[in-house]
Amino acid sequence: MTKQPPTDEQRLILRFERARDEAPMSEAEAREFLGELGVDVDAEFRLLMKNVTAQEEADRLQELADAEAEYQRHQVRPKGPTHRRSRPENQARIRAQQARHPELSAHHHDLTHMSDDDLASLADQLEELEADAGEE
C-alpha cells in the first residue's frame, strides 16, 4: 500500500506542531503565527463548533430513530400462545413473579377484584418484563 502525500491541511498542522516544538507559544503568539499563514482562528473555531453541533444533533436524531425502530419492533413482536388460563392459574403466576421479585407491586394487591382478562394481561406482562430483563 502506497502512502499518500500529506494534504495541505496536514502540512499546515505539521508546520504548526514543529513551530510549537521549537518554542512554546502563548495563545496570542499562536494566533499571530496562524494569521501569518492565512488562518482565521476565530472563523475556524466557529466552523469547528458548527460541525460539532451538527454532529451532536445528527447523533441525537439517530438515537431517537433507533428508539422508535425498537419500539416499532416491540409493537409487532409476535405474542406467546394465547392459551386461556383459569383465574387461579393467573393468580398463581402473578404470585410466583412477586415471590421472585419482591419489588413488584400492583394496584390490586389481593388480585381478587380484577377481571379475568386484566389478571391474565398482568401475568403476561410481568413474565414479558422478566424475559426482557433476562436478555440484558
Side-chain angles (χ1 to χ4, degrees):
M1 182 171 167
T2 307
K3 185 175 179 181
Q4 297 294 323
T7 64
D8 290 340
E9 184 178 295
Q10 289 170 329
R11 281 194 291 275
L12 175 65
I13 291 170
L14 289 171
R15 283 180 58 194
F16 181 74
E17 286 177 351
R18 272 189 237 112
R20 269 195 71 102
D21 287 344
E22 292 170 10
M25 288 185 211
S26 67
E27 181 181 340
E29 291 170 325
R31 284 178 175 275
E32 181 182 338
F33 175 77
L34 290 171
E36 289 171 2
L37 295 173
V39 176
D40 181 351
V41 175
D42 293 326
E44 291 296 325
F45 182 75
R46 282 190 302 275
L47 178 62
L48 173 69
M49 291 309 297
K50 180 180 172 185
N51 290 338
V52 166
T53 302
Q55 185 61 50
E56 286 175 341
E57 180 64 10
D59 291 346
R60 185 184 74 78
L61 292 174
Q62 184 62 49
E63 190 174 320
L64 288 173
D66 292 346
E68 176 65 21
E70 178 64 25
Y71 175 75
Q72 293 301 327
R73 279 192 298 275
H74 177 73
Q75 291 297 85
V76 297
R77 184 188 317 177
K79 301 295 180 189
T82 57
H83 172 256
R84 189 94 173 135
R85 293 185 175 96
S86 70
R87 183 175 191 81
E89 285 178 309
N90 285 324
Q91 288 173 329
R93 289 169 60 205
I94 294 169
R95 292 200 199 300
Q97 285 289 330
Q98 289 175 326
R100 282 193 299 275
H101 304 283
E103 70 277 8
L104 288 179
S105 66
H107 291 290
H108 300 279
H109 294 290
D110 61 0
L111 307 175
T112 58
H113 296 91
M114 296 177 73
S115 71
D116 289 347
D117 288 341
D118 287 345
L119 201 61
S121 177
L122 177 60
D124 290 342
Q125 290 172 8
L126 290 174
E127 288 173 353
E128 187 174 320
L129 285 171
E130 184 178 49
D132 286 349
E135 291 175 4
E136 294 176 3

